[in-house]
Amino acid sequence: MPTALIDTTMLTLFIPTFFFVSITPGMCMTLSMTLGMTIGVKRSLHMMWGELIGVGLVAVASVVGVAAVMLNYPSVFQVFKYVGGAYLAYLGVQMWRSRGKMAIPKEEASAPNDISALSLAAQGFVTAIANPKGWAFMISLLPPFINPAISLPSQLSVLVLIILCTEFSCLMLYASGGRTLRQFLQQKGNVQLLNRIAGTLMIGVGFWLALG
């Protein structure tokens, strides 16, 4: 049964799926770890808030854009659910087949210590909004979790809050993990495990969304 804010059944599927997708090493997480090792975790926070603003904008734009279709063309939204579910399943299969290709490269990048806080924030923001996979994931995953029987602003607020908290936690983990985390991610078997956990969840959610 949905609550006044959001459908709790959908939420129990959304939280673990987004967490494992977020924690897999991608553009933003690699940037966070590199900056954490070169300029320190404290200064890396400037990049993080810029990245979080970008992620938040992508999430809101994805939900609002598709919500407009949902309200005006309900039959089209049903088709979108099938397409979104199939695409999530496809992404899950791709993650299963990646075989650790997202492993962190062995060469250690460097960043100048005199880079300004605004430049760091801009770097994080651009990295978030310029990632086509991020847009594809948000557009395919978020809108189907919207329940038409519940207020859109309340659902959007909860989902975006969860996304930002999860993303920030993962960014901090990467920034503070340093060389230990780098060594862990350089082992293809470890990255493959993360990919397969996230991929399995995405395949399951994809079928659930398409058939639910």
Side-chain angles (χ1 to χ4, degrees):
M1 292 291 293
T3 65
L5 292 178
I6 196 167
D7 191 321
T8 54
T9 301
M10 292 183 175
L11 204 58
T12 58
L13 289 172
F14 177 78
I15 293 174
T17 301
F18 188 81
F19 171 76
F20 279 105
V21 170
S22 181
I23 204 170
T24 52
M27 292 173 59
C28 294
M29 297 304 150
T30 302
L31 175 62
S32 183
M33 184 171 64
T34 300
L35 291 178
M37 294 177 64
T38 54
I39 64 175
V41 176
K42 185 176 180 179
R43 296 202 64 221
S44 298
L45 290 172
H46 296 297
M47 180 280 295
M48 293 181 196
W49 68 258
E51 194 267 351
L52 292 176
I53 291 175
V55 168
L57 287 176
V58 172
V60 171
S62 300
V63 174
V64 171
V66 180
V69 176
M70 178 182 70
L71 294 174
N72 295 297
Y73 308 98
S75 58
V76 175
F77 181 72
Q78 289 300 317
V79 175
F80 182 86
K81 282 185 64 177
Y82 300 141
V83 174
Y87 184 69
L88 282 178
Y90 168 77
L91 290 179
V93 172
Q94 293 300 107
M95 295 188 79
W96 258 86
R97 298 177 59 188
S98 67
R99 298 179 181 177
K101 291 180 181 178
M102 294 175 69
I104 302 298
K106 292 184 179 180
E107 57 271 13
E108 183 175 321
S110 60
N113 288 316
D114 59 349
I115 187 170
S116 68
L118 185 59
S119 296
L120 287 169
Q123 186 176 11
F125 179 80
V126 171
T127 301
I129 65 171
N131 184 0
K133 289 184 178 180
W135 279 96
F137 176 75
M138 292 291 187
I139 291 174
S140 60
L141 178 64
L142 282 181
F145 276 91
I146 299 297
N147 188 331
I150 304 176
S151 169
L152 177 61
S154 65
Q155 295 181 86
L156 183 57
S157 299
V158 173
L159 289 176
V160 171
L161 179 61
I162 292 172
I163 288 171
L164 295 182
C165 290
T166 303
E167 188 78 359
F168 178 70
S169 299
C170 293
L171 287 170
M172 284 296 295
L173 178 63
Y174 272 78
S176 59
R179 289 176 175 79
T180 300
L181 183 57
R182 177 180 288 271
Q183 291 172 0
F184 174 83
L185 295 173
Q186 283 176 348
Q187 303 298 317
K188 288 189 176 181
N190 294 332
V191 177
Q192 188 178 44
L193 177 61
L194 288 176
N195 286 340
R196 287 186 171 182
I197 292 174
T200 299
L201 286 169
M202 290 178 70
I203 292 171
V205 171
F207 277 104
W208 178 78
L209 291 176
L211 302 177

